[in-house]
Amino acid sequence: MIRRLGRVIAALALAVATTVTGVTLTASVAHADGCYTWGRTLSQGMSGEDVRQLQIRVAGYPGYGAVLTIDGAYGPATRSAVIRFQQAYGLGADGVAGPQTFNRLYALQDDDCTPVNFSYAELNNCNSTWSGGAVAASTARANALVSMWKLQALRHALGDVPIGISSSFRSYACNSAVGGASNSRHLYGDAVDLVGSPSLCRLAQQARNHGFGQILGPGYPDHNDHTHVAAVGGWSAPTCGI
């Protein structure tokens, strides 16, 4: 808790302005934590790794039924996602990612770039290497990171209530052991099975707004005890009206 408070305090330094001979100078971006630091204000038309890092963190704000492409190009969809993120946290919603937006992101992330309420360990109870699935281990781990940021957005929209996870990344061996589908998105690291409260239907319904291309829940075969979300694959949760 103390470490996180220290990061928040450091992040607030980004917004400090210094007045010199009547001219107000905005402080340059400081290193806020051990994860990633943005060094410039980002807006539509820009591109680069810093844009891609931003896209990962706002991937849960693409709008109803949409999925944000994480390609390092700050296009209209990224701008819209940034606006929704800003609105969700009571920031000035102009679609420009500057110190206030970055401050909020710094406060939301841990030093390994995962959002504060989710971890790599939660998304992989199969093995410690992320290997053995349908994609390279590094890709599966990267996919899981994007899923975590989507889940963070879902969690916040639901009132910052805890969300339980029963399964996520699986190797082929782990997938076979639990009777998973041969083409399961769990093999790619971008699928997560949600359990607990709020209700499974509430999770499935709200997930439609947070960048999940696949939502399977109550009423879909073998999904009455969890809500499954993933990057791609379509929606079906008949009991929930989806």
Side-chain angles (χ1 to χ4, degrees), residues 28-81:
S28 60
V29 176
H31 191 80
D33 59 24
C35 169
Y36 185 85
T37 300
W38 285 271
R40 59 175 179 164
T41 294
L42 300 175
S43 59
Q44 188 169 331
M46 301 175 75
S47 62
E49 175 60 18
D50 49 1
V51 175
R52 193 182 74 85
Q53 291 292 332
L54 174 65
Q55 289 172 327
I56 291 171
R57 290 156 180 78
V58 299
Y61 293 92
Y64 182 90
V67 177
L68 182 65
T69 299
I70 299 173
D71 58 2
Y74 204 123
T78 298
R79 180 179 182 275
S80 293

Side-chain angles (χ1 to χ4, degrees), residues 32-238:
D33 59 24
C35 169
Y36 185 85
T37 300
W38 285 271
R40 59 175 179 164
T41 294
L42 300 175
S43 59
Q44 188 169 331
M46 301 175 75
S47 62
E49 175 60 18
D50 49 1
V51 175
R52 193 182 74 85
Q53 291 292 332
L54 174 65
Q55 289 172 327
I56 291 171
R57 290 156 180 78
V58 299
Y61 293 92
Y64 182 90
V67 177
L68 182 65
T69 299
I70 299 173
D71 58 2
Y74 204 123
T78 298
R79 180 179 182 275
S80 293
V82 170
I83 288 174
R84 292 187 187 94
F85 173 84
Q86 292 168 331
Q87 291 171 333
Y89 285 96
L91 306 177
D94 59 2
V96 175
Q100 285 192 334
T101 300
F102 297 143
N103 287 346
R104 185 67 257 179
L105 290 172
Y106 291 145
L108 283 173
Q109 68 185 14
D110 280 325
D111 287 347
D112 62 356
C113 295
T114 59
V116 293
N117 296 114
F118 297 94
S119 68
Y120 284 114
E122 285 183 279
L123 270 72
N124 184 357
N125 57 13
C126 173
N127 59 43
S128 62
T129 63
W130 297 85
S131 61
V135 293
S138 59
T139 300
R141 196 171 189 270
N143 289 343
L145 179 62
V146 176
S147 292
M148 281 187 267
W149 281 100
K150 292 179 181 180
L151 291 174
Q152 188 70 31
L154 172 61
R155 185 184 191 277
H156 185 60
L158 291 170
D160 291 310
V161 296
I163 294 177
I165 296 172
S166 63
S167 180
S168 188
F169 168 74
R170 300 174 192 159
S171 66
Y172 279 106
C174 289
N175 191 57
S176 177
V178 299
S182 61
N183 62 343
S184 171
R185 294 305 306 181
H186 290 281
L187 297 165
Y188 296 82
D190 62 35
V192 188
D193 290 346
L194 309 177
V195 294
S197 59
S199 73
L200 298 181
C201 278
R202 185 74 184 95
L203 289 166
Q205 291 160 352
Q206 186 61 44
R208 296 175 294 182
N209 299 295
H210 298 293
F212 294 107
Q214 185 175 64
I215 302 170
L216 304 176
Y220 186 81
D222 301 320
H223 285 71
N224 286 325
D225 61 352
H226 68 281
T227 290
H228 165 100
V229 293
V232 296
W235 298 351
S236 183

